[in-house]
Amino acid sequence: MSDCLFCKIIGGEIPSTKVFENDYVYAFKDISPVAPVHVLFVPKEHISGVSGITPENSAVVSKIFEAIAEYAHSIGLDESGYRVVSNCGESAGQTVMHLHFHLLGGAMLGKMVSDCERSHE
């Protein structure tokens, strides 16, 4: 997609700090990190977001999670723990409409309490 920020990053039109790449996935450091480790994992194929996953393209999600596990292990994050987050849609905070997963770690991350969890307390 020609006007997609992440497609331009993957294509080398916009610089990024790449930390991982294979045939399916490109990963780079977030420009506004919220944790010591904050990396975005994106499929090289343009998919608009979680809602754009179909039976035809869903295999890329497993490739992304395999890449996340490989990278987390390579930097020792699997020992201390990490969080993987994907926002879906503008109301959820998705600002780039290209499927991506945030890998967060390297520090004690605050607990996210959902309304559902609060109702069980």
Side-chain angles (χ1 to χ4, degrees):
M1 182 170 245
S2 62
D3 63 339
C4 173
L5 175 66
F6 289 170
C7 288
K8 289 179 179 180
I9 289 172
I10 293 163
E13 296 174 56
I14 296 175
S16 68
T17 304
K18 178 176 71 171
V19 298
F20 181 94
E21 182 176 14
N22 65 24
D23 291 342
Y24 307 96
V25 180
Y26 187 89
F28 56 98
K29 291 184 179 184
D30 193 292
I31 61 169
S32 299
V34 298
V37 175
H38 188 167
V39 175
L40 300 178
F41 284 77
V42 301
K44 289 185 173 180
E45 169 187 0
H46 182 86
I47 300 170
S48 63
V50 172
S51 295
I53 297 170
T54 66
E56 293 76 30
N57 66 20
S58 64
V60 74
V61 176
S62 66
K63 297 293 186 190
I64 292 169
F65 275 86
E66 290 167 13
I68 290 170
E70 181 181 334
Y71 179 73
H73 178 74
S74 76
I75 64 168
L77 213 61
D78 56 336
E79 294 179 22
S80 60
Y82 56 90
R83 181 176 293 158
V84 178
V85 177
S86 184
N87 301 321
C88 184
E90 288 182 31
S91 293
Q94 184 180 2
T95 57
V96 178
M97 298 307 154
H98 184 122
L99 179 65
H100 60 284
F101 294 87
H102 297 258
L103 170 65
L104 305 166
M108 184 62 73
L109 301 174
K111 183 178 180 219
M112 294 173 55
V113 180
S114 70
D115 292 336
C116 181
E117 288 173 318
R118 280 192 207 103
S119 69
H120 291 100
E121 293 178 346

